[in-house]
Amino acid sequence: MPISSDEFRSTLSRFACGVTIVTTKNGTGALFGITVSAFSSVSLDPPLILICVDRSAASHDPLLESGIFAVNLLNVEQVAMSQRFASPIEGKFDGLEFTLGEFGLPLLSGCIANLECRVRNTADGGDHTVFIAEVQTASVADGDPLLYFRGDYRAVGD
């Protein structure tokens, strides 16, 4: 019998991961965003990454519909932004500084990196969808990454 979801969550909380905000837009141009820690590189050639998004998240269907998204890698000073995009509130972009990238996707200011991606494949991931995407554009900046470990935000060296 598989372990319980509580045991699984507790076990995986021992794996430190970076924190990202994935942004997209729907067919009418409305902006969507969600905090995502399930992010990974897949391939260098071609440059592929993956994200996993809960099927019940408001951003899920717009991601499927548009086939494009941006990944914004947060810096250690962006805890409040992560919390904002992890919540179900409306107006997540209100008052935030961002630019629209080449594909009209929100690239959040102050991040240590921003990637614009085009979905190549999706896969069933249980209660999540796995999006495998090719990176189309990338930009980087100085700063330390925001980490998530054992249910709390951390910085390198904590």
mmCIF file of all heavy atoms in Angstrom, residues 34-78:
data_model
loop_
_atom_site.group_PDB
_atom_site.id
_atom_site.type_symbol
_atom_site.label_atom_id
_atom_site.label_comp_id
_atom_site.label_asym_id
_atom_site.label_seq_id
_atom_site.Cartn_x
_atom_site.Cartn_y
_atom_site.Cartn_z
ATOM 1 N N ILE A 34 0.943 31.713 -10.870
ATOM 2 C CA ILE A 34 0.882 30.750 -9.777
ATOM 3 C C ILE A 34 2.302 30.471 -9.278
ATOM 4 O O ILE A 34 3.244 30.403 -10.064
ATOM 5 C CB ILE A 34 0.201 29.437 -10.245
ATOM 6 C CG1 ILE A 34 0.035 28.454 -9.086
ATOM 7 C CG2 ILE A 34 0.955 28.820 -11.411
ATOM 8 C CD1 ILE A 34 -0.810 27.238 -9.444
ATOM 9 N N THR A 35 2.447 30.320 -7.978
ATOM 10 C CA THR A 35 3.724 29.926 -7.392
ATOM 11 C C THR A 35 3.943 28.442 -7.670
ATOM 12 O O THR A 35 3.051 27.626 -7.433
ATOM 13 C CB THR A 35 3.739 30.195 -5.877
ATOM 14 O OG1 THR A 35 3.537 31.599 -5.669
ATOM 15 C CG2 THR A 35 5.052 29.779 -5.244
ATOM 16 N N VAL A 36 5.131 28.124 -8.181
ATOM 17 C CA VAL A 36 5.452 26.745 -8.549
ATOM 18 C C VAL A 36 6.841 26.393 -8.016
ATOM 19 O O VAL A 36 7.816 27.081 -8.313
ATOM 20 C CB VAL A 36 5.426 26.570 -10.097
ATOM 21 C CG1 VAL A 36 5.957 25.208 -10.507
ATOM 22 C CG2 VAL A 36 4.027 26.790 -10.635
ATOM 23 N N SER A 37 6.925 25.323 -7.244
ATOM 24 C CA SER A 37 8.234 24.829 -6.815
ATOM 25 C C SER A 37 8.619 23.573 -7.598
ATOM 26 O O SER A 37 9.769 23.163 -7.570
ATOM 27 C CB SER A 37 8.253 24.551 -5.309
ATOM 28 O OG SER A 37 7.263 23.609 -4.972
ATOM 29 N N ALA A 38 7.657 22.977 -8.299
ATOM 30 C CA ALA A 38 7.932 21.796 -9.128
ATOM 31 C C ALA A 38 8.406 22.269 -10.496
ATOM 32 O O ALA A 38 7.635 22.354 -11.457
ATOM 33 C CB ALA A 38 6.696 20.918 -9.244
ATOM 34 N N PHE A 39 9.680 22.618 -10.561
ATOM 35 C CA PHE A 39 10.326 23.166 -11.755
ATOM 36 C C PHE A 39 11.673 22.473 -11.902
ATOM 37 O O PHE A 39 12.372 22.266 -10.916
ATOM 38 C CB PHE A 39 10.542 24.674 -11.573
ATOM 39 C CG PHE A 39 11.524 25.278 -12.543
ATOM 40 C CD1 PHE A 39 11.153 25.591 -13.836
ATOM 41 C CD2 PHE A 39 12.822 25.540 -12.138
ATOM 42 C CE1 PHE A 39 12.061 26.148 -14.731
ATOM 43 C CE2 PHE A 39 13.743 26.101 -13.022
ATOM 44 C CZ PHE A 39 13.361 26.402 -14.320
ATOM 45 N N SER A 40 12.027 22.107 -13.130
ATOM 46 C CA SER A 40 13.304 21.432 -13.339
ATOM 47 C C SER A 40 13.768 21.602 -14.773
ATOM 48 O O SER A 40 12.951 21.715 -15.691
ATOM 49 C CB SER A 40 13.147 19.936 -13.043
ATOM 50 O OG SER A 40 14.360 19.247 -13.258
ATOM 51 N N SER A 41 15.081 21.575 -14.949
ATOM 52 C CA SER A 41 15.615 21.487 -16.306
ATOM 53 C C SER A 41 15.434 20.052 -16.778
ATOM 54 O O SER A 41 15.419 19.114 -15.982
ATOM 55 C CB SER A 41 17.091 21.892 -16.340
ATOM 56 O OG SER A 41 17.852 20.995 -15.566
ATOM 57 N N VAL A 42 15.290 19.877 -18.092
ATOM 58 C CA VAL A 42 15.099 18.557 -18.680
ATOM 59 C C VAL A 42 16.210 18.253 -19.677
ATOM 60 O O VAL A 42 16.770 17.167 -19.674
ATOM 61 C CB VAL A 42 13.716 18.450 -19.372
ATOM 62 C CG1 VAL A 42 13.566 17.135 -20.123
ATOM 63 C CG2 VAL A 42 12.593 18.638 -18.364
ATOM 64 N N SER A 43 16.534 19.229 -20.538
ATOM 65 C CA SER A 43 17.477 18.992 -21.624
ATOM 66 C C SER A 43 18.193 20.289 -21.972
ATOM 67 O O SER A 43 17.605 21.365 -21.900
ATOM 68 C CB SER A 43 16.706 18.478 -22.847
ATOM 69 O OG SER A 43 17.495 18.484 -24.007
ATOM 70 N N LEU A 44 19.472 20.151 -22.367
ATOM 71 C CA LEU A 44 20.221 21.313 -22.859
ATOM 72 C C LEU A 44 20.015 21.538 -24.349
ATOM 73 O O LEU A 44 20.043 22.669 -24.829
ATOM 74 C CB LEU A 44 21.719 21.140 -22.569
ATOM 75 C CG LEU A 44 22.135 21.220 -21.113
ATOM 76 C CD1 LEU A 44 23.625 20.918 -20.973
ATOM 77 C CD2 LEU A 44 21.808 22.585 -20.531
ATOM 78 N N ASP A 45 19.830 20.461 -25.095
ATOM 79 C CA ASP A 45 19.697 20.570 -26.540
ATOM 80 C C ASP A 45 18.596 19.638 -27.032
ATOM 81 O O ASP A 45 18.837 18.432 -27.148
ATOM 82 C CB ASP A 45 21.031 20.226 -27.225
ATOM 83 C CG ASP A 45 21.008 20.475 -28.716
ATOM 84 O OD1 ASP A 45 20.115 21.221 -29.189
ATOM 85 O OD2 ASP A 45 21.873 19.926 -29.410
ATOM 86 N N PRO A 46 17.389 20.146 -27.241
ATOM 87 C CA PRO A 46 16.999 21.552 -27.126
ATOM 88 C C PRO A 46 16.840 21.944 -25.658
ATOM 89 O O PRO A 46 16.722 21.068 -24.785
ATOM 90 C CB PRO A 46 15.659 21.603 -27.860
ATOM 91 C CG PRO A 46 15.079 20.240 -27.670
ATOM 92 C CD PRO A 46 16.263 19.297 -27.668
ATOM 93 N N PRO A 47 16.787 23.258 -25.381
ATOM 94 C CA PRO A 47 16.642 23.713 -23.998
ATOM 95 C C PRO A 47 15.209 23.480 -23.499
ATOM 96 O O PRO A 47 14.288 24.205 -23.866
ATOM 97 C CB PRO A 47 16.969 25.204 -24.078
ATOM 98 C CG PRO A 47 16.649 25.581 -25.492
ATOM 99 C CD PRO A 47 16.923 24.372 -26.321
ATOM 100 N N LEU A 48 15.040 22.434 -22.684
ATOM 101 C CA LEU A 48 13.724 22.068 -22.177
ATOM 102 C C LEU A 48 13.679 22.157 -20.659
ATOM 103 O O LEU A 48 14.656 21.829 -19.977
ATOM 104 C CB LEU A 48 13.354 20.634 -22.585
ATOM 105 C CG LEU A 48 13.282 20.318 -24.065
ATOM 106 C CD1 LEU A 48 13.002 18.817 -24.260
ATOM 107 C CD2 LEU A 48 12.223 21.152 -24.760
ATOM 108 N N ILE A 49 12.523 22.576 -20.154
ATOM 109 C CA ILE A 49 12.257 22.592 -18.711
ATOM 110 C C ILE A 49 10.909 21.920 -18.489
ATOM 111 O O ILE A 49 10.157 21.676 -19.437
ATOM 112 C CB ILE A 49 12.260 24.026 -18.126
ATOM 113 C CG1 ILE A 49 11.236 24.959 -18.825
ATOM 114 C CG2 ILE A 49 13.629 24.647 -18.237
ATOM 115 C CD1 ILE A 49 9.928 25.013 -18.149
ATOM 116 N N LEU A 50 10.605 21.650 -17.223
ATOM 117 C CA LEU A 50 9.264 21.173 -16.909
ATOM 118 C C LEU A 50 8.752 21.872 -15.671
ATOM 119 O O LEU A 50 9.520 22.310 -14.818
ATOM 120 C CB LEU A 50 9.214 19.651 -16.746
ATOM 121 C CG LEU A 50 9.860 18.971 -15.533
ATOM 122 C CD1 LEU A 50 9.045 19.120 -14.259
ATOM 123 C CD2 LEU A 50 10.042 17.498 -15.831
ATOM 124 N N ILE A 51 7.431 21.997 -15.628
ATOM 125 C CA ILE A 51 6.730 22.472 -14.445
ATOM 126 C C ILE A 51 5.560 21.532 -14.207
ATOM 127 O O ILE A 51 5.080 20.884 -15.137
ATOM 128 C CB ILE A 51 6.223 23.930 -14.579
ATOM 129 C CG1 ILE A 51 5.250 24.057 -15.756
ATOM 130 C CG2 ILE A 51 7.392 24.901 -14.701
ATOM 131 C CD1 ILE A 51 4.508 25.389 -15.801
ATOM 132 N N CYS A 52 5.114 21.464 -12.972
ATOM 133 C CA CYS A 52 3.940 20.673 -12.625
ATOM 134 C C CYS A 52 2.925 21.609 -11.986
ATOM 135 O O CYS A 52 3.263 22.345 -11.051
ATOM 136 C CB CYS A 52 4.296 19.554 -11.657
ATOM 137 S SG CYS A 52 5.527 18.416 -12.313
ATOM 138 N N VAL A 53 1.689 21.588 -12.501
ATOM 139 C CA VAL A 53 0.650 22.506 -12.029
ATOM 140 C C VAL A 53 -0.597 21.715 -11.653
ATOM 141 O O VAL A 53 -1.070 20.873 -12.435
ATOM 142 C CB VAL A 53 0.324 23.562 -13.113
ATOM 143 C CG1 VAL A 53 -0.806 24.485 -12.665
ATOM 144 C CG2 VAL A 53 1.565 24.372 -13.462
ATOM 145 N N ASP A 54 -1.126 22.009 -10.478
ATOM 146 C CA ASP A 54 -2.342 21.374 -9.978
ATOM 147 C C ASP A 54 -3.489 21.627 -10.960
ATOM 148 O O ASP A 54 -3.706 22.759 -11.399
ATOM 149 C CB ASP A 54 -2.681 21.963 -8.609
ATOM 150 C CG ASP A 54 -3.777 21.215 -7.883
ATOM 151 O OD1 ASP A 54 -4.820 20.919 -8.507
ATOM 152 O OD2 ASP A 54 -3.621 20.956 -6.687
ATOM 153 N N ARG A 55 -4.209 20.578 -11.280
ATOM 154 C CA ARG A 55 -5.310 20.688 -12.242
ATOM 155 C C ARG A 55 -6.421 21.621 -11.767
ATOM 156 O O ARG A 55 -7.181 22.159 -12.576
ATOM 157 C CB ARG A 55 -5.906 19.311 -12.532
ATOM 158 C CG ARG A 55 -4.963 18.390 -13.270
ATOM 159 C CD ARG A 55 -5.616 17.026 -13.503
ATOM 160 N NE ARG A 55 -4.657 16.051 -13.971
ATOM 161 C CZ ARG A 55 -4.288 15.904 -15.227
ATOM 162 N NH1 ARG A 55 -4.785 16.693 -16.154
ATOM 163 N NH2 ARG A 55 -3.413 14.982 -15.561
ATOM 164 N N SER A 56 -6.538 21.830 -10.452
ATOM 165 C CA SER A 56 -7.597 22.691 -9.921
ATOM 166 C C SER A 56 -7.182 24.162 -9.827
ATOM 167 O O SER A 56 -8.008 25.014 -9.506
ATOM 168 C CB SER A 56 -8.038 22.189 -8.541
ATOM 169 O OG SER A 56 -6.994 22.357 -7.591
ATOM 170 N N ALA A 57 -5.922 24.470 -10.127
ATOM 171 C CA ALA A 57 -5.436 25.854 -10.042
ATOM 172 C C ALA A 57 -6.049 26.706 -11.143
ATOM 173 O O ALA A 57 -6.253 26.255 -12.273
ATOM 174 C CB ALA A 57 -3.908 25.881 -10.142
ATOM 175 N N ALA A 58 -6.325 27.962 -10.834
ATOM 176 C CA ALA A 58 -6.912 28.894 -11.812
ATOM 177 C C ALA A 58 -6.017 29.069 -13.033
ATOM 178 O O ALA A 58 -6.505 29.329 -14.126
ATOM 179 C CB ALA A 58 -7.181 30.243 -11.147
ATOM 180 N N SER A 59 -4.715 28.908 -12.874
ATOM 181 C CA SER A 59 -3.777 29.074 -13.989
ATOM 182 C C SER A 59 -3.684 27.846 -14.887
ATOM 183 O O SER A 59 -3.145 27.940 -15.988
ATOM 184 C CB SER A 59 -2.372 29.394 -13.449
ATOM 185 O OG SER A 59 -2.368 30.625 -12.783
ATOM 186 N N HIS A 60 -4.185 26.713 -14.440
ATOM 187 C CA HIS A 60 -4.009 25.464 -15.181
ATOM 188 C C HIS A 60 -4.592 25.520 -16.590
ATOM 189 O O HIS A 60 -3.892 25.269 -17.578
ATOM 190 C CB HIS A 60 -4.612 24.289 -14.405
ATOM 191 C CG HIS A 60 -4.454 22.986 -15.101
ATOM 192 N ND1 HIS A 60 -5.383 22.513 -16.011
ATOM 193 C CD2 HIS A 60 -3.461 22.061 -15.065
ATOM 194 C CE1 HIS A 60 -4.974 21.359 -16.482
ATOM 195 N NE2 HIS A 60 -3.804 21.057 -15.922
ATOM 196 N N ASP A 61 -5.868 25.847 -16.707
ATOM 197 C CA ASP A 61 -6.507 25.843 -18.023
ATOM 198 C C ASP A 61 -5.937 26.908 -18.959
ATOM 199 O O ASP A 61 -5.727 26.630 -20.142
ATOM 200 C CB ASP A 61 -8.023 25.944 -17.891
ATOM 201 C CG ASP A 61 -8.626 24.664 -17.303
ATOM 202 O OD1 ASP A 61 -7.937 23.623 -17.256
ATOM 203 O OD2 ASP A 61 -9.805 24.707 -16.883
ATOM 204 N N PRO A 62 -5.650 28.125 -18.461
ATOM 205 C CA PRO A 62 -4.990 29.092 -19.349
ATOM 206 C C PRO A 62 -3.622 28.604 -19.857
ATOM 207 O O PRO A 62 -3.253 28.883 -21.000
ATOM 208 C CB PRO A 62 -4.850 30.342 -18.481
ATOM 209 C CG PRO A 62 -5.988 30.244 -17.526
ATOM 210 C CD PRO A 62 -6.109 28.772 -17.229
ATOM 211 N N LEU A 63 -2.881 27.862 -19.038
ATOM 212 C CA LEU A 63 -1.605 27.288 -19.494
ATOM 213 C C LEU A 63 -1.843 26.301 -20.639
ATOM 214 O O LEU A 63 -1.128 26.331 -21.637
ATOM 215 C CB LEU A 63 -0.890 26.567 -18.349
ATOM 216 C CG LEU A 63 -0.125 27.420 -17.364
ATOM 217 C CD1 LEU A 63 0.179 26.635 -16.096
ATOM 218 C CD2 LEU A 63 1.140 27.939 -17.983
ATOM 219 N N LEU A 64 -2.832 25.452 -20.480
ATOM 220 C CA LEU A 64 -3.164 24.497 -21.543
ATOM 221 C C LEU A 64 -3.621 25.220 -22.806
ATOM 222 O O LEU A 64 -3.216 24.877 -23.917
ATOM 223 C CB LEU A 64 -4.269 23.548 -21.084
ATOM 224 C CG LEU A 64 -3.885 22.373 -20.219
ATOM 225 C CD1 LEU A 64 -5.131 21.611 -19.784
ATOM 226 C CD2 LEU A 64 -2.917 21.451 -20.938
ATOM 227 N N GLU A 65 -4.472 26.231 -22.624
ATOM 228 C CA GLU A 65 -5.055 26.968 -23.749
ATOM 229 C C GLU A 65 -4.006 27.745 -24.534
ATOM 230 O O GLU A 65 -3.969 27.681 -25.760
ATOM 231 C CB GLU A 65 -6.118 27.928 -23.213
ATOM 232 C CG GLU A 65 -6.741 28.837 -24.241
ATOM 233 C CD GLU A 65 -7.659 29.871 -23.613
ATOM 234 O OE1 GLU A 65 -8.201 29.622 -22.514
ATOM 235 O OE2 GLU A 65 -7.824 30.937 -24.216
ATOM 236 N N SER A 66 -3.147 28.471 -23.829
ATOM 237 C CA SER A 66 -2.198 29.357 -24.520
ATOM 238 C C SER A 66 -0.994 28.613 -25.075
ATOM 239 O O SER A 66 -0.446 28.996 -26.103
ATOM 240 C CB SER A 66 -1.710 30.463 -23.577
ATOM 241 O OG SER A 66 -0.879 29.918 -22.565
ATOM 242 N N GLY A 67 -0.564 27.565 -24.368
ATOM 243 C CA GLY A 67 0.625 26.829 -24.797
ATOM 244 C C GLY A 67 1.922 27.578 -24.593
ATOM 245 O O GLY A 67 2.971 27.155 -25.075
ATOM 246 N N ILE A 68 1.881 28.682 -23.864
ATOM 247 C CA ILE A 68 3.084 29.464 -23.555
ATOM 248 C C ILE A 68 3.032 29.887 -22.090
ATOM 249 O O ILE A 68 1.955 30.050 -21.519
ATOM 250 C CB ILE A 68 3.245 30.710 -24.465
ATOM 251 C CG1 ILE A 68 1.998 31.595 -24.400
ATOM 252 C CG2 ILE A 68 3.591 30.316 -25.892
ATOM 253 C CD1 ILE A 68 2.105 32.912 -25.146
ATOM 254 N N PHE A 69 4.205 30.061 -21.495
ATOM 255 C CA PHE A 69 4.272 30.565 -20.127
ATOM 256 C C PHE A 69 5.666 31.106 -19.858
ATOM 257 O O PHE A 69 6.615 30.814 -20.581
ATOM 258 C CB PHE A 69 3.900 29.491 -19.095
ATOM 259 C CG PHE A 69 4.762 28.261 -19.100
ATOM 260 C CD1 PHE A 69 5.945 28.211 -18.366
ATOM 261 C CD2 PHE A 69 4.377 27.128 -19.801
ATOM 262 C CE1 PHE A 69 6.739 27.065 -18.350
ATOM 263 C CE2 PHE A 69 5.154 25.977 -19.791
ATOM 264 C CZ PHE A 69 6.335 25.945 -19.064
ATOM 265 N N ALA A 70 5.748 31.918 -18.815
ATOM 266 C CA ALA A 70 7.036 32.424 -18.347
ATOM 267 C C ALA A 70 7.303 31.837 -16.965
ATOM 268 O O ALA A 70 6.380 31.647 -16.171
ATOM 269 C CB ALA A 70 7.035 33.948 -18.271
ATOM 270 N N VAL A 71 8.566 31.539 -16.702
ATOM 271 C CA VAL A 71 8.994 31.100 -15.383
ATOM 272 C C VAL A 71 9.873 32.214 -14.816
ATOM 273 O O VAL A 71 10.867 32.597 -15.429
ATOM 274 C CB VAL A 71 9.789 29.777 -15.445
ATOM 275 C CG1 VAL A 71 10.210 29.349 -14.038
ATOM 276 C CG2 VAL A 71 8.982 28.679 -16.118
ATOM 277 N N ASN A 72 9.473 32.724 -13.663
ATOM 278 C CA ASN A 72 10.190 33.801 -12.979
ATOM 279 C C ASN A 72 10.828 33.213 -11.730
ATOM 280 O O ASN A 72 10.118 32.783 -10.814
ATOM 281 C CB ASN A 72 9.202 34.910 -12.597
ATOM 282 C CG ASN A 72 8.481 35.486 -13.806
ATOM 283 O OD1 ASN A 72 8.986 36.380 -14.449
ATOM 284 N ND2 ASN A 72 7.301 34.951 -14.120
ATOM 285 N N LEU A 73 12.164 33.121 -11.706
ATOM 286 C CA LEU A 73 12.883 32.550 -10.579
ATOM 287 C C LEU A 73 13.073 33.630 -9.526
ATOM 288 O O LEU A 73 13.750 34.636 -9.766
ATOM 289 C CB LEU A 73 14.231 31.989 -11.020
ATOM 290 C CG LEU A 73 14.221 30.634 -11.735
ATOM 291 C CD1 LEU A 73 13.544 30.704 -13.087
ATOM 292 C CD2 LEU A 73 15.614 30.115 -11.869
ATOM 293 N N LEU A 74 12.470 33.406 -8.356
ATOM 294 C CA LEU A 74 12.425 34.448 -7.331
ATOM 295 C C LEU A 74 13.739 34.588 -6.580
ATOM 296 O O LEU A 74 14.469 33.619 -6.371
ATOM 297 C CB LEU A 74 11.307 34.157 -6.339
ATOM 298 C CG LEU A 74 9.889 34.070 -6.915
ATOM 299 C CD1 LEU A 74 8.871 33.939 -5.787
ATOM 300 C CD2 LEU A 74 9.562 35.253 -7.803
ATOM 301 N N ASN A 75 13.987 35.833 -6.151
ATOM 302 C CA ASN A 75 15.138 36.089 -5.295
ATOM 303 C C ASN A 75 14.694 36.034 -3.840
ATOM 304 O O ASN A 75 13.497 36.035 -3.539
ATOM 305 C CB ASN A 75 15.840 37.403 -5.666
ATOM 306 C CG ASN A 75 15.144 38.633 -5.135
ATOM 307 O OD1 ASN A 75 14.803 38.715 -3.966
ATOM 308 N ND2 ASN A 75 14.937 39.606 -6.003
ATOM 309 N N VAL A 76 15.642 35.992 -2.951
ATOM 310 C CA VAL A 76 15.384 35.793 -1.529
ATOM 311 C C VAL A 76 14.504 36.900 -0.923
ATOM 312 O O VAL A 76 13.854 36.681 0.097
ATOM 313 C CB VAL A 76 16.727 35.648 -0.758
ATOM 314 C CG1 VAL A 76 17.469 36.976 -0.685
ATOM 315 C CG2 VAL A 76 16.518 35.030 0.601
ATOM 316 N N GLU A 77 14.424 38.036 -1.567
ATOM 317 C CA GLU A 77 13.621 39.159 -1.065
ATOM 318 C C GLU A 77 12.161 39.095 -1.527
ATOM 319 O O GLU A 77 11.385 39.996 -1.214
ATOM 320 C CB GLU A 77 14.239 40.482 -1.539
ATOM 321 C CG GLU A 77 15.688 40.683 -1.123
ATOM 322 C CD GLU A 77 15.858 40.798 0.382
ATOM 323 O OE1 GLU A 77 14.962 41.365 1.045
ATOM 324 O OE2 GLU A 77 16.886 40.314 0.894
ATOM 325 N N GLN A 78 11.762 38.058 -2.257
ATOM 326 C CA GLN A 78 10.433 38.030 -2.863
ATOM 327 C C GLN A 78 9.467 37.030 -2.224
ATOM 328 O O GLN A 78 8.584 36.492 -2.881
ATOM 329 C CB GLN A 78 10.571 37.762 -4.371
ATOM 330 C CG GLN A 78 11.253 38.917 -5.087
ATOM 331 C CD GLN A 78 11.479 38.650 -6.560
ATOM 332 O OE1 GLN A 78 12.037 37.627 -6.933
ATOM 333 N NE2 GLN A 78 11.047 39.586 -7.398
#
